[in-house]
Amino acid sequence: MSAVVMDGKALAAKVKARALAAAGQLERQPGLAVILVGENPASQVYVRGKVKDCADCGIACFDYYLPADTTEEQLLALVAELNDRSDVDGILCQLPLPGHIAEKKVLEAISPDKDVDAFHPYSMGRILRGDPCFLPCTPAGVMELLHEYGIEVAGKKCVVVGRSNIVGKPMALLLLGENGTVTVCHSRTPDLKAECLQADILVAAVGKVNLITADMVKEGAVVIDVAMNRNAEGKLCGDVDYPAVAEKASFITPVPGGVGPMTRAMLMENTLAAAKARQ
Ligand code: GUN
């Protein structure tokens, strides 16, 4: 079997076009504040992408580039100011933050009604309860891809590899919310291959090149690769050995061009939702 390639770039363009149309219907232009502390090169690329997405979607972007030695107090003061601003509907603080700033404190300072990343404990609690306010962008992007390609989750065995707060845990909850039978695997899982071989839907979100090889994938499985790594040749790749796994899977996401663009598009959807709720 040769898998259908799930085109996240094309679907993200559709989602963004929908966001642009919705933004035009609002009385006030939606606004997203994006904060970057320091000069992490990967974060700089992500933030540039978010600024561009806002422009594409008719969303005002207030971007803040703070030096690496910004204090926690200064960052918290900026978040407090943005919480109070009526022209700011969403606030995103790019992670990771420099080590001297407590990430948890900053994420908890963002007002839940502007928490378009869905990283605040309130947002996470709502996701856990199955009653989300904002959906976490990467897992929501994966669900959107599954829907677009007509892949039913209910009754399927879903295996999520990775248990991060940003992807693995909320991904498991969204799959559970659609009645998948979900297993979460991590670095202490004794037999990762045996677990993965059970999966009808396999989501890899670890950040390790070639973690998922073809012998770990059931014939006809749906394989979603959330990771963004660079291989030994410096080429972008995910966690999945793509060429070999694509021969066994029924559907597969490429890297780049799969989940990444969907993550960005879902942030635009969340910002629109925040703006609608606040108007
Ligand atoms: N760093 C890596 N991914 C993300 C994300 O989705 N949101 C934020 N704020 N930081 C990140």
Side-chain angles (χ1 to χ4, degrees):
M1 180 184 286
S2 195
V4 172
V5 180
M6 301 171 87
D7 189 344
K9 204 169 156 192
L11 181 56
K14 273 209 264 185
V15 172
K16 283 172 64 180
R18 208 161 68 199
L20 176 64
Q25 299 294 310
L26 296 176
E27 279 174 25
R28 173 179 62 71
Q29 187 185 24
L32 174 66
V34 179
I35 308 168
L36 174 60
V37 185
E39 283 163 14
N40 178 318
S43 293
Q44 286 174 327
V45 172
Y46 291 136
V47 166
R48 265 202 301 278
K50 288 165 188 172
V51 173
K52 180 186 175 293
D53 289 336
C54 284
D56 293 346
C57 295
I59 293 170
C61 189
F62 309 104
D63 43 342
Y64 294 85
Y65 302 92
L66 308 182
D69 62 357
T70 299
T71 65
E72 188 177 285
E73 290 68 29
Q74 287 169 326
L75 182 55
L76 289 171
L78 174 60
V79 170
E81 178 194 318
L82 296 169
N83 280 339
D84 285 343
R85 266 177 53 180
S86 59
D87 56 343
V88 172
D89 297 295
I91 303 170
L92 179 144
C93 185
Q94 187 67 31
L95 303 180
L97 287 168
H100 65 280
I101 298 178
E103 216 159 83
K104 189 166 158 268
K105 258 197 197 171
V106 176
L107 297 180
E108 290 183 21
I110 294 172
S111 177
D113 68 333
K114 299 190 178 189
D115 181 31
V116 288
D117 253 334
F119 292 169
H120 190 286
Y122 176 80
S123 308
M124 294 178 83
R126 291 277 300 257
I127 295 161
L128 182 65
R129 209 170 67 174
D131 169 31
C133 27
F134 295 108
L135 288 170
C137 298
T138 299
V142 171
M143 298 310 289
E144 194 83 7
L145 274 167
L146 294 174
H147 298 155
E148 175 74 7
Y149 284 86
I151 297 160
E152 180 83 36
V153 174
K156 298 278 171 62
K157 178 93 175 107
C158 307
V159 175
V160 179
V161 187
R163 56 172 157 180
S164 69
N165 285 330
I166 295 184
V167 182
K169 285 184 207 167
M171 185 75 253
L173 290 168
L174 296 195
L175 291 165
L176 185 62
E178 293 203 5
N179 302 309
T181 301
V182 184
T183 301
V184 181
C185 298
H186 47 78
S187 53
R188 297 282 188 92
T189 298
D191 192 346
L192 181 62
K193 179 177 170 181
E195 299 292 346
C196 290
L197 276 169
Q198 298 287 315
D200 302 309
I201 300 174
L202 177 62
V203 181
V206 171
K208 198 166 167 192
V209 177
N210 284 340
L211 176 70
I212 307 295
T213 48
D215 61 326
M216 300 167 76
V217 175
K218 182 163 80 173
E219 192 78 39
V222 174
V223 179
I224 308 287
D225 196 344
V226 173
M228 180 71 86
N229 310 308
R230 285 201 186 268
N231 66 13
E233 292 83 50
K235 218 175 126 225
L236 280 178
C237 65
D239 287 347
V240 175
D241 176 8
Y242 183 90
V245 172
E247 289 304 312
K248 269 184 117 175
S250 56
F251 293 86
I252 191 166
T253 60
V255 178
V259 176
M262 288 306 299
T263 297
R264 288 170 49 180
M266 301 320 286
L267 175 66
M268 299 298 106
E269 281 229 321
N270 277 352
T271 304
L272 254 296
K276 268 190 206 156
R278 296 182 63 258
Q279 289 203 346

